[in-house]
Amino acid sequence: MPRISLPIRLAAAILATALTLAGCSRVGIAYNTGDFLVTAYAKDYLDLEQSQLERWNPLLDAELTRHRSEELPYLAAYFDQILAASEAGFDADNMDCLTESFRDLYRRQASFAVTLAAPLLAELTPAQIERLDQRFRKEAAEDRAEIAGRSSTREKEKRARRYIKSIEDWTGPLSVEQQAIVADVTGRMPDTQASLVEYRTGKRERLMALIRAKAPEPEIKRFLTTWLVDFEDLPPDLEQGGQLLGERIGELFVGLGKTLDTTQRNRLNKRLRSIRDDFMKLQKQPRMAQMTC
């Protein structure tokens, strides 16, 4: 599957584990070791020197402190919002609300990631720049080769299996009928991978040009924000694909939600409640942010 961009991976190193685990101790460990996870990832991906990490660490510490204070309330509120929708029954209205809230949540996390990535990219050495460029080129070639060699039918089957596995992590085993719902909806999701690879490759080339020209950190941050936070120049096919994907996911929630039995729904709601509470407990002054809807 085509790769996500470096700044988003920096944020994901902190958040992805927390968002997919239930239980306070495990979420707490994932979040509280975020500085280690992000540092290890940044060092490996950019081949950073210790002196570069030492200069970056104060920013990382400050951003993690800010994230705990300002962003955890949004994460807690979002899981509370999903829980409320699940308890009421997923429908078109609450799915529209959840989709809009997710977009806002994504932008906040992407902005956090860009803030961390920009200073690292701005001070890469010539050797590090060459290695990063080679890595980008290698990943683009691998992604293009994967796309060229894949079968549409097989990709739909793989996508359905991925979704089923992910959903079962939350609900427990799905019935044959429920799996058929997942296969039907995911089979109608847009395939924009080829366009995404070409778009991302072009943006990476422009990023590398800025880095080679020794652009200052604010300029690199503006470029990353335009690209990864605001999507200001997203091609029409990718913008439309994103809209359609959101519609299919909403359809999946509504359709599958109607079929959940008591055990499945109780497991889903218990996990949503647990993660919401975990993000509350991780705050020094627990609160939930006011969501947009």
Side-chain angles (χ1 to χ4, degrees):
M1 178 179 294
R3 299 163 179 83
I4 58 177
S5 300
L6 168 64
I8 303 307
R9 286 179 173 182
L10 287 172
I14 296 177
L15 297 174
T17 305
L19 292 175
T20 55
L21 293 177
C24 180
S25 62
R26 294 198 294 179
V27 171
I29 290 171
Y31 189 83
N32 288 325
T33 57
D35 55 345
F36 171 77
L37 294 171
V38 173
T39 299
Y41 179 80
K43 181 177 181 180
D44 176 69
Y45 199 91
L46 298 175
D47 195 23
L48 297 175
E49 300 171 357
Q50 187 60 36
S51 60
Q52 291 171 310
L53 290 172
E54 290 173 356
R55 289 192 294 274
W56 183 61
N57 277 337
L59 172 65
L60 176 60
D61 291 342
E63 277 299 297
L64 287 174
T65 298
R66 185 197 64 79
H67 193 279
R68 184 184 293 270
S69 173
E70 298 179 14
E71 303 303 332
L72 287 186
Y74 282 91
L75 287 164
Y78 186 64
F79 279 93
D80 187 65
Q81 199 173 43
I82 303 174
L83 175 62
S86 176
E87 291 176 336
F90 295 111
D91 57 31
D93 289 338
N94 58 37
M95 282 310 305
D96 285 345
C97 183
L98 288 173
T99 299
E100 183 58 34
S101 294
F102 177 79
R103 288 171 180 159
D104 179 66
L105 192 65
Y106 164 81
R107 292 186 187 100
R108 298 184 70 92
Q109 307 317 309
S111 181
F112 163 69
V114 164
T115 297
L116 291 178
L120 293 175
L121 296 171
E123 70 158 33
L124 294 179
T125 67
Q128 290 168 335
I129 292 171
E130 290 306 313
R131 285 192 289 271
L132 180 60
D133 186 52
Q134 291 172 11
R135 185 164 194 162
F136 281 169
R137 292 177 185 276
K138 179 182 178 182
E139 289 180 353
E142 291 173 347
D143 287 340
R144 286 169 175 151
E146 178 185 341
I147 290 170
R150 65 181 182 165
S151 156
S152 176
T153 300
R154 187 166 62 249
E155 284 303 309
K156 289 181 179 181
E157 292 172 349
K158 288 168 59 178
R159 184 193 305 151
R161 288 197 297 271
R162 287 196 303 269
Y163 270 81
I164 289 169
K165 183 177 184 300
S166 178
I167 293 167
E168 288 184 335
D169 285 342
W170 293 83
T171 65
L174 297 179
S175 68
V176 173
E177 291 76 15
Q178 289 172 324
Q179 291 184 33
I181 292 173
V182 177
D184 171 59
V185 176
T186 59
R188 291 184 282 109
M189 287 179 172
D191 183 1
T192 58
Q193 295 299 343
S195 295
L196 179 60
V197 168
E198 296 310 313
Y199 170 68
R200 190 203 58 215
T201 298
K203 300 297 285 188
R204 281 180 165 184
E205 289 172 352
R206 290 179 58 190
L207 174 62
M208 292 307 304
L210 287 175
I211 295 172
R212 290 183 190 280
K214 293 299 180 182
E217 177 188 331
E219 185 175 352
I220 291 176
K221 185 176 181 179
R222 281 194 299 273
F223 175 80
L224 293 175
T225 300
T226 298
W227 171 18
L228 299 168
V229 180
D230 299 330
F231 303 116
E232 287 186 4
D233 62 350
L234 197 67
D237 63 329
L238 288 180
E239 186 170 359
Q240 182 181 24
Q243 180 66 33
L244 289 173
L245 178 61
E247 292 175 4
R248 294 291 83 77
I249 290 175
E251 180 184 349
L252 181 59
F253 269 70
V254 174
L256 195 59
K258 294 176 180 177
T259 72
L260 295 179
D261 62 29
T262 301
T263 299
Q264 290 171 323
R265 189 171 298 281
N266 286 344
R267 173 169 168 160
L268 171 62
N269 291 350
K270 180 180 179 181
R271 189 171 182 191
L272 289 169
R273 191 176 296 109
S274 174
I275 295 180
R276 177 202 63 189
D277 293 347
D278 293 345
F279 282 124
M280 292 289 286
K281 293 172 185 175
L282 285 166
Q283 301 176 54
K284 292 183 178 179
Q285 297 179 319
R287 66 184 180 89
M288 284 191 285
Q290 181 66 44
M291 303 300 280
T292 56
C293 60

mmCIF file of all heavy atoms in Angstrom, residues 232-263:
data_model
loop_
_atom_site.group_PDB
_atom_site.id
_atom_site.type_symbol
_atom_site.label_atom_id
_atom_site.label_comp_id
_atom_site.label_asym_id
_atom_site.label_seq_id
_atom_site.Cartn_x
_atom_site.Cartn_y
_atom_site.Cartn_z
ATOM 1 N N GLU A 232 -4.513 22.379 -0.033
ATOM 2 C CA GLU A 232 -4.904 23.499 -0.883
ATOM 3 C C GLU A 232 -4.821 23.184 -2.373
ATOM 4 O O GLU A 232 -5.545 23.788 -3.162
ATOM 5 C CB GLU A 232 -4.058 24.733 -0.552
ATOM 6 C CG GLU A 232 -4.429 25.371 0.782
ATOM 7 C CD GLU A 232 -3.691 26.671 1.022
ATOM 8 O OE1 GLU A 232 -2.944 27.107 0.112
ATOM 9 O OE2 GLU A 232 -3.859 27.258 2.104
ATOM 10 N N ASP A 233 -3.927 22.300 -2.775
ATOM 11 C CA ASP A 233 -3.799 22.016 -4.204
ATOM 12 C C ASP A 233 -4.069 20.545 -4.512
ATOM 13 O O ASP A 233 -3.492 19.971 -5.433
ATOM 14 C CB ASP A 233 -2.407 22.407 -4.711
ATOM 15 C CG ASP A 233 -1.291 21.615 -4.028
ATOM 16 O OD1 ASP A 233 -1.590 20.918 -3.043
ATOM 17 O OD2 ASP A 233 -0.140 21.698 -4.493
ATOM 18 N N LEU A 234 -4.982 19.945 -3.760
ATOM 19 C CA LEU A 234 -5.315 18.541 -3.986
ATOM 20 C C LEU A 234 -5.967 18.389 -5.355
ATOM 21 O O LEU A 234 -6.901 19.116 -5.694
ATOM 22 C CB LEU A 234 -6.263 18.059 -2.894
ATOM 23 C CG LEU A 234 -6.415 16.548 -2.718
ATOM 24 C CD1 LEU A 234 -5.114 15.945 -2.219
ATOM 25 C CD2 LEU A 234 -7.544 16.241 -1.736
ATOM 26 N N PRO A 235 -5.485 17.458 -6.186
ATOM 27 C CA PRO A 235 -6.092 17.257 -7.505
ATOM 28 C C PRO A 235 -7.570 16.897 -7.385
ATOM 29 O O PRO A 235 -7.990 16.268 -6.413
ATOM 30 C CB PRO A 235 -5.283 16.088 -8.085
ATOM 31 C CG PRO A 235 -3.992 16.100 -7.342
ATOM 32 C CD PRO A 235 -4.331 16.573 -5.961
ATOM 33 N N PRO A 236 -8.376 17.286 -8.387
ATOM 34 C CA PRO A 236 -9.828 17.030 -8.317
ATOM 35 C C PRO A 236 -10.172 15.566 -8.112
ATOM 36 O O PRO A 236 -11.124 15.251 -7.381
ATOM 37 C CB PRO A 236 -10.331 17.546 -9.671
ATOM 38 C CG PRO A 236 -9.339 18.601 -10.063
ATOM 39 C CD PRO A 236 -8.013 18.105 -9.561
ATOM 40 N N ASP A 237 -9.416 14.643 -8.751
ATOM 41 C CA ASP A 237 -9.778 13.226 -8.602
ATOM 42 C C ASP A 237 -9.537 12.736 -7.185
ATOM 43 O O ASP A 237 -10.309 11.918 -6.659
ATOM 44 C CB ASP A 237 -9.030 12.358 -9.612
ATOM 45 C CG ASP A 237 -7.521 12.387 -9.422
ATOM 46 O OD1 ASP A 237 -6.992 13.436 -8.979
ATOM 47 O OD2 ASP A 237 -6.867 11.378 -9.732
ATOM 48 N N LEU A 238 -8.495 13.257 -6.539
ATOM 49 C CA LEU A 238 -8.247 12.858 -5.152
ATOM 50 C C LEU A 238 -9.240 13.511 -4.201
ATOM 51 O O LEU A 238 -9.675 12.894 -3.226
ATOM 52 C CB LEU A 238 -6.818 13.217 -4.747
ATOM 53 C CG LEU A 238 -5.707 12.371 -5.369
ATOM 54 C CD1 LEU A 238 -4.342 12.832 -4.876
ATOM 55 C CD2 LEU A 238 -5.908 10.887 -5.054
ATOM 56 N N GLU A 239 -9.608 14.743 -4.483
ATOM 57 C CA GLU A 239 -10.610 15.403 -3.649
ATOM 58 C C GLU A 239 -11.948 14.682 -3.753
ATOM 59 O O GLU A 239 -12.609 14.412 -2.748
ATOM 60 C CB GLU A 239 -10.756 16.862 -4.081
ATOM 61 C CG GLU A 239 -11.671 17.663 -3.177
ATOM 62 C CD GLU A 239 -11.622 19.144 -3.466
ATOM 63 O OE1 GLU A 239 -10.856 19.552 -4.369
ATOM 64 O OE2 GLU A 239 -12.349 19.899 -2.791
ATOM 65 N N GLN A 240 -12.331 14.339 -4.977
ATOM 66 C CA GLN A 240 -13.584 13.603 -5.167
ATOM 67 C C GLN A 240 -13.495 12.213 -4.554
ATOM 68 O O GLN A 240 -14.453 11.732 -3.942
ATOM 69 C CB GLN A 240 -13.904 13.500 -6.655
ATOM 70 C CG GLN A 240 -15.233 12.792 -6.938
ATOM 71 C CD GLN A 240 -15.515 12.685 -8.419
ATOM 72 O OE1 GLN A 240 -14.599 12.707 -9.239
ATOM 73 N NE2 GLN A 240 -16.779 12.581 -8.779
ATOM 74 N N GLY A 241 -12.326 11.560 -4.695
ATOM 75 C CA GLY A 241 -12.150 10.239 -4.113
ATOM 76 C C GLY A 241 -12.268 10.266 -2.604
ATOM 77 O O GLY A 241 -12.861 9.363 -2.005
ATOM 78 N N GLY A 242 -11.715 11.306 -1.985
ATOM 79 C CA GLY A 242 -11.826 11.430 -0.538
ATOM 80 C C GLY A 242 -13.268 11.610 -0.098
ATOM 81 O O GLY A 242 -13.696 11.045 0.918
ATOM 82 N N GLN A 243 -14.020 12.388 -0.874
ATOM 83 C CA GLN A 243 -15.433 12.584 -0.560
ATOM 84 C C GLN A 243 -16.202 11.274 -0.669
ATOM 85 O O GLN A 243 -17.007 10.923 0.205
ATOM 86 C CB GLN A 243 -16.029 13.624 -1.510
ATOM 87 C CG GLN A 243 -17.506 13.914 -1.278
ATOM 88 C CD GLN A 243 -17.763 14.589 0.055
ATOM 89 O OE1 GLN A 243 -16.940 15.368 0.532
ATOM 90 N NE2 GLN A 243 -18.904 14.285 0.666
ATOM 91 N N LEU A 244 -15.945 10.527 -1.749
ATOM 92 C CA LEU A 244 -16.631 9.252 -1.940
ATOM 93 C C LEU A 244 -16.240 8.240 -0.868
ATOM 94 O O LEU A 244 -17.083 7.463 -0.406
ATOM 95 C CB LEU A 244 -16.307 8.697 -3.334
ATOM 96 C CG LEU A 244 -16.929 9.446 -4.514
ATOM 97 C CD1 LEU A 244 -16.397 8.890 -5.828
ATOM 98 C CD2 LEU A 244 -18.450 9.351 -4.473
ATOM 99 N N LEU A 245 -14.967 8.244 -0.488
ATOM 100 C CA LEU A 245 -14.531 7.325 0.562
ATOM 101 C C LEU A 245 -15.263 7.615 1.862
ATOM 102 O O LEU A 245 -15.710 6.695 2.559
ATOM 103 C CB LEU A 245 -13.022 7.443 0.762
ATOM 104 C CG LEU A 245 -12.420 6.576 1.866
ATOM 105 C CD1 LEU A 245 -12.648 5.093 1.573
ATOM 106 C CD2 LEU A 245 -10.926 6.860 2.021
ATOM 107 N N GLY A 246 -15.413 8.910 2.192
ATOM 108 C CA GLY A 246 -16.155 9.268 3.397
ATOM 109 C C GLY A 246 -17.594 8.794 3.338
ATOM 110 O O GLY A 246 -18.142 8.321 4.338
ATOM 111 N N GLU A 247 -18.196 8.898 2.158
ATOM 112 C CA GLU A 247 -19.572 8.437 1.998
ATOM 113 C C GLU A 247 -19.683 6.924 2.177
ATOM 114 O O GLU A 247 -20.617 6.426 2.815
ATOM 115 C CB GLU A 247 -20.095 8.838 0.618
ATOM 116 C CG GLU A 247 -20.275 10.345 0.460
ATOM 117 C CD GLU A 247 -20.670 10.724 -0.958
ATOM 118 O OE1 GLU A 247 -20.881 9.802 -1.782
ATOM 119 O OE2 GLU A 247 -20.762 11.933 -1.247
ATOM 120 N N ARG A 248 -18.721 6.181 1.625
ATOM 121 C CA ARG A 248 -18.759 4.724 1.752
ATOM 122 C C ARG A 248 -18.541 4.312 3.211
ATOM 123 O O ARG A 248 -19.171 3.367 3.688
ATOM 124 C CB ARG A 248 -17.691 4.083 0.868
ATOM 125 C CG ARG A 248 -17.852 4.236 -0.621
ATOM 126 C CD ARG A 248 -19.020 3.458 -1.169
ATOM 127 N NE ARG A 248 -20.274 4.173 -1.032
ATOM 128 C CZ ARG A 248 -20.669 5.183 -1.797
ATOM 129 N NH1 ARG A 248 -19.891 5.584 -2.784
ATOM 130 N NH2 ARG A 248 -21.799 5.777 -1.594
ATOM 131 N N ILE A 249 -17.633 4.991 3.906
ATOM 132 C CA ILE A 249 -17.407 4.646 5.311
ATOM 133 C C ILE A 249 -18.662 4.930 6.129
ATOM 134 O O ILE A 249 -19.046 4.142 7.003
ATOM 135 C CB ILE A 249 -16.186 5.409 5.858
ATOM 136 C CG1 ILE A 249 -14.903 4.865 5.221
ATOM 137 C CG2 ILE A 249 -16.114 5.300 7.384
ATOM 138 C CD1 ILE A 249 -13.649 5.610 5.601
ATOM 139 N N GLY A 250 -19.322 6.047 5.845
ATOM 140 C CA GLY A 250 -20.581 6.332 6.521
ATOM 141 C C GLY A 250 -21.615 5.261 6.238
ATOM 142 O O GLY A 250 -22.335 4.812 7.137
ATOM 143 N N GLU A 251 -21.696 4.841 4.990
ATOM 144 C CA GLU A 251 -22.623 3.769 4.609
ATOM 145 C C GLU A 251 -22.297 2.480 5.346
ATOM 146 O O GLU A 251 -23.202 1.756 5.798
ATOM 147 C CB GLU A 251 -22.535 3.542 3.102
ATOM 148 C CG GLU A 251 -23.450 2.455 2.579
ATOM 149 C CD GLU A 251 -23.266 2.203 1.088
ATOM 150 O OE1 GLU A 251 -22.584 3.011 0.417
ATOM 151 O OE2 GLU A 251 -23.803 1.188 0.588
ATOM 152 N N LEU A 252 -21.008 2.202 5.512
ATOM 153 C CA LEU A 252 -20.595 0.985 6.211
ATOM 154 C C LEU A 252 -21.003 1.040 7.683
ATOM 155 O O LEU A 252 -21.526 0.053 8.227
ATOM 156 C CB LEU A 252 -19.081 0.806 6.071
ATOM 157 C CG LEU A 252 -18.474 -0.435 6.724
ATOM 158 C CD1 LEU A 252 -19.090 -1.703 6.150
ATOM 159 C CD2 LEU A 252 -16.950 -0.444 6.523
ATOM 160 N N PHE A 253 -20.760 2.165 8.337
ATOM 161 C CA PHE A 253 -21.146 2.305 9.737
ATOM 162 C C PHE A 253 -22.651 2.110 9.908
ATOM 163 O O PHE A 253 -23.102 1.389 10.800
ATOM 164 C CB PHE A 253 -20.742 3.689 10.260
ATOM 165 C CG PHE A 253 -19.382 3.752 10.884
ATOM 166 C CD1 PHE A 253 -18.239 3.634 10.118
ATOM 167 C CD2 PHE A 253 -19.249 3.951 12.243
ATOM 168 C CE1 PHE A 253 -16.990 3.691 10.683
ATOM 169 C CE2 PHE A 253 -17.999 4.020 12.837
ATOM 170 C CZ PHE A 253 -16.858 3.889 12.049
ATOM 171 N N VAL A 254 -23.426 2.774 9.057
ATOM 172 C CA VAL A 254 -24.885 2.711 9.189
ATOM 173 C C VAL A 254 -25.393 1.302 8.903
ATOM 174 O O VAL A 254 -26.175 0.729 9.668
ATOM 175 C CB VAL A 254 -25.555 3.730 8.254
ATOM 176 C CG1 VAL A 254 -27.080 3.554 8.282
ATOM 177 C CG2 VAL A 254 -25.195 5.152 8.672
ATOM 178 N N GLY A 255 -24.929 0.727 7.793
ATOM 179 C CA GLY A 255 -25.411 -0.598 7.404
ATOM 180 C C GLY A 255 -25.001 -1.675 8.379
ATOM 181 O O GLY A 255 -25.821 -2.514 8.800
ATOM 182 N N LEU A 256 -23.729 -1.665 8.769
ATOM 183 C CA LEU A 256 -23.247 -2.693 9.692
ATOM 184 C C LEU A 256 -23.811 -2.473 11.092
ATOM 185 O O LEU A 256 -24.115 -3.435 11.815
ATOM 186 C CB LEU A 256 -21.719 -2.676 9.720
ATOM 187 C CG LEU A 256 -21.020 -3.890 10.337
ATOM 188 C CD1 LEU A 256 -21.395 -5.161 9.588
ATOM 189 C CD2 LEU A 256 -19.507 -3.687 10.314
ATOM 190 N N GLY A 257 -23.962 -1.198 11.463
ATOM 191 C CA GLY A 257 -24.477 -0.898 12.800
ATOM 192 C C GLY A 257 -25.846 -1.489 13.044
ATOM 193 O O GLY A 257 -26.164 -1.901 14.167
ATOM 194 N N LYS A 258 -26.662 -1.543 12.005
ATOM 195 C CA LYS A 258 -28.011 -2.098 12.147
ATOM 196 C C LYS A 258 -28.002 -3.598 12.419
ATOM 197 O O LYS A 258 -28.998 -4.142 12.898
ATOM 198 C CB LYS A 258 -28.822 -1.814 10.876
ATOM 199 C CG LYS A 258 -29.108 -0.341 10.648
ATOM 200 C CD LYS A 258 -29.830 -0.141 9.325
ATOM 201 C CE LYS A 258 -30.117 1.337 9.072
ATOM 202 N NZ LYS A 258 -30.763 1.548 7.756
ATOM 203 N N THR A 259 -26.903 -4.255 12.104
ATOM 204 C CA THR A 259 -26.847 -5.719 12.235
ATOM 205 C C THR A 259 -26.124 -6.183 13.493
ATOM 206 O O THR A 259 -26.096 -7.388 13.766
ATOM 207 C CB THR A 259 -26.119 -6.330 11.023
ATOM 208 O OG1 THR A 259 -24.706 -6.051 11.107
ATOM 209 C CG2 THR A 259 -26.673 -5.794 9.714
ATOM 210 N N LEU A 260 -25.529 -5.273 14.254
ATOM 211 C CA LEU A 260 -24.761 -5.685 15.425
ATOM 212 C C LEU A 260 -25.683 -6.315 16.469
ATOM 213 O O LEU A 260 -26.728 -5.755 16.809
ATOM 214 C CB LEU A 260 -24.036 -4.486 16.039
ATOM 215 C CG LEU A 260 -22.956 -3.817 15.189
ATOM 216 C CD1 LEU A 260 -22.349 -2.640 15.936
ATOM 217 C CD2 LEU A 260 -21.856 -4.808 14.786
ATOM 218 N N ASP A 261 -25.268 -7.452 16.985
ATOM 219 C CA ASP A 261 -26.045 -8.056 18.065
ATOM 220 C C ASP A 261 -25.621 -7.425 19.397
ATOM 221 O O ASP A 261 -24.725 -6.576 19.449
ATOM 222 C CB ASP A 261 -25.890 -9.579 18.075
ATOM 223 C CG ASP A 261 -24.463 -10.051 18.313
ATOM 224 O OD1 ASP A 261 -23.683 -9.330 18.988
ATOM 225 O OD2 ASP A 261 -24.117 -11.145 17.833
ATOM 226 N N THR A 262 -26.280 -7.847 20.460
ATOM 227 C CA THR A 262 -26.031 -7.229 21.764
ATOM 228 C C THR A 262 -24.577 -7.381 22.192
ATOM 229 O O THR A 262 -23.953 -6.430 22.699
ATOM 230 C CB THR A 262 -26.959 -7.843 22.826
ATOM 231 O OG1 THR A 262 -28.316 -7.643 22.442
ATOM 232 C CG2 THR A 262 -26.717 -7.199 24.191
ATOM 233 N N THR A 263 -24.003 -8.559 21.983
ATOM 234 C CA THR A 263 -22.614 -8.799 22.379
ATOM 235 C C THR A 263 -21.661 -7.909 21.593
ATOM 236 O O THR A 263 -20.737 -7.309 22.171
ATOM 237 C CB THR A 263 -22.246 -10.273 22.154
ATOM 238 O OG1 THR A 263 -23.097 -11.097 22.952
ATOM 239 C CG2 THR A 263 -20.796 -10.529 22.541
#
